[in-house]
Amino acid sequence: MRIDVYPSLLGLEPTRLEGRTAIAIDVLRATSVIVTALANGAEAVLPALTPEEAREVAAGLPPGRFLLAGERESRLIPGFDLANSPREYTAGRVAGRVIVLTTTNGTRAIRACEPASAVLVGSFLNAGAVARAAAGEQKPVAIVCAATRGEFDLGDVAAAGAIVAGIRRGFAPGAEPELNDLARAAHDLFDLHRKRLGELLAGTRHGGGLERLGLGGDLPRCAALDSRPVVPWYRQGRITLVP
Ligand code: MLT
């Protein structure tokens, strides 16, 4: 098996994903939000590229069944029900609902994974569960970091490393998957910081920006390794827990 980690969507040719299991990661905060929403009983998350697209998708859903959600500049979009903080996605708010979600980088990364043969949504919260599901697909794995406006994001790469470590654990010594250089670096980065993931996130540019907006309480939520062991699958416009 082969595992490649890609730092952002920049230069990521769709053909690199064909025939592979793709895992999209946006630790701060879109994929942490999606994992939290589905773990708390949301029926599905529909990732949209823009607020306009999200409103159009929602217009086709039965009233009362959906919530419009997402952020621009990390803040609530006017007229939307939820922003992009995992703390908002409680069971009371999301259980049984379809969430139409648009975020700056995360939903874009998920949609960019469409050429892959299967698409999973990963984060620290579900790293071990996603690693096992990806290994079970028995195809080369492409881990796609959303990054922050194309800029390398340490949190995304560390979460990619947690997933690489999880996949490697399933292989006998000497028969481990082949890793590209960023997959190796991600694995070592995760290993170095695994006991201090919250601090790692707080030290990133995006994490610091969230703290300045008064959203620092999201960082420990997004750093809670294997706290939500669910496997979100993206297929035909919907993310659900059904493979
Ligand atoms: C994104 O998708 O760009 C992020 O989730 C932004 C954020 O932290 O709200």
Side-chain angles (χ1 to χ4, degrees):
M1 181 185 264
R2 182 185 168 89
I3 309 175
D4 291 330
V5 174
Y6 297 106
S8 77
L9 305 184
L10 291 178
L12 178 61
E13 299 297 331
T15 49
R16 289 188 187 228
L17 301 176
E18 285 169 7
R20 291 177 160 230
T21 303
I23 304 170
I25 297 181
D26 182 17
V27 164
L28 294 178
R29 297 165 292 171
T31 59
S32 303
V33 157
I34 293 167
V35 169
T36 303
L38 292 170
N40 281 341
E43 181 185 316
V45 178
L46 316 188
L49 296 181
T50 62
E52 295 69 36
E53 186 187 309
R55 287 193 189 93
E56 273 169 32
V57 170
L61 297 171
R65 281 276 314 286
F66 67 86
L67 293 167
L68 265 175
E71 57 69 39
R72 284 300 177 270
E73 306 294 340
S74 299
R75 297 175 193 271
L76 181 73
I77 299 167
F80 276 38
D81 302 299
L82 297 169
N84 196 34
S85 163
R87 291 176 289 166
E88 296 170 276
Y89 291 70
T90 58
R93 204 74 209 276
V94 303
R97 301 290 191 95
V98 173
I99 316 286
V100 186
L101 179 73
T102 179
T103 72
T104 311
N105 305 284
T107 52
R108 196 165 289 281
I110 294 165
R111 295 273 293 266
C113 289
E114 281 172 0
S117 58
V119 181
L120 307 179
V121 175
S123 66
F124 283 125
L125 315 186
N126 66 341
V130 161
R132 286 189 291 281
E137 292 291 294
Q138 299 189 338
K139 291 204 165 73
V141 173
I143 304 181
V144 177
C145 298
T148 303
R149 298 183 193 281
E151 210 174 290
F152 182 90
D153 185 297
L154 208 57
D156 289 350
V157 175
I163 294 170
V164 172
I167 296 175
R168 281 178 54 134
R169 271 198 297 278
F171 286 79
E176 290 103 344
E178 187 192 334
L179 308 181
N180 74 349
D181 285 4
L182 187 55
R184 282 188 61 179
H187 179 274
D188 292 353
L189 177 73
F190 168 67
D191 228 26
L192 194 63
H193 292 278
R194 61 192 310 155
K195 299 265 187 297
R196 298 177 306 273
L197 296 174
E199 284 170 45
L200 175 79
L201 293 183
T204 62
R205 178 180 276 193
H206 192 165
L210 290 173
E211 283 185 336
R212 282 191 292 282
L213 288 172
L215 295 167
D218 286 351
L219 303 186
R221 295 294 187 108
C222 296
L225 188 66
D226 292 325
S227 57
R228 305 277 192 174
V230 297
V231 182
W233 301 79
Y234 171 64
R235 187 170 293 128
Q236 293 175 345
R238 290 170 69 85
I239 305 168
T240 66
L241 298 183
V242 180

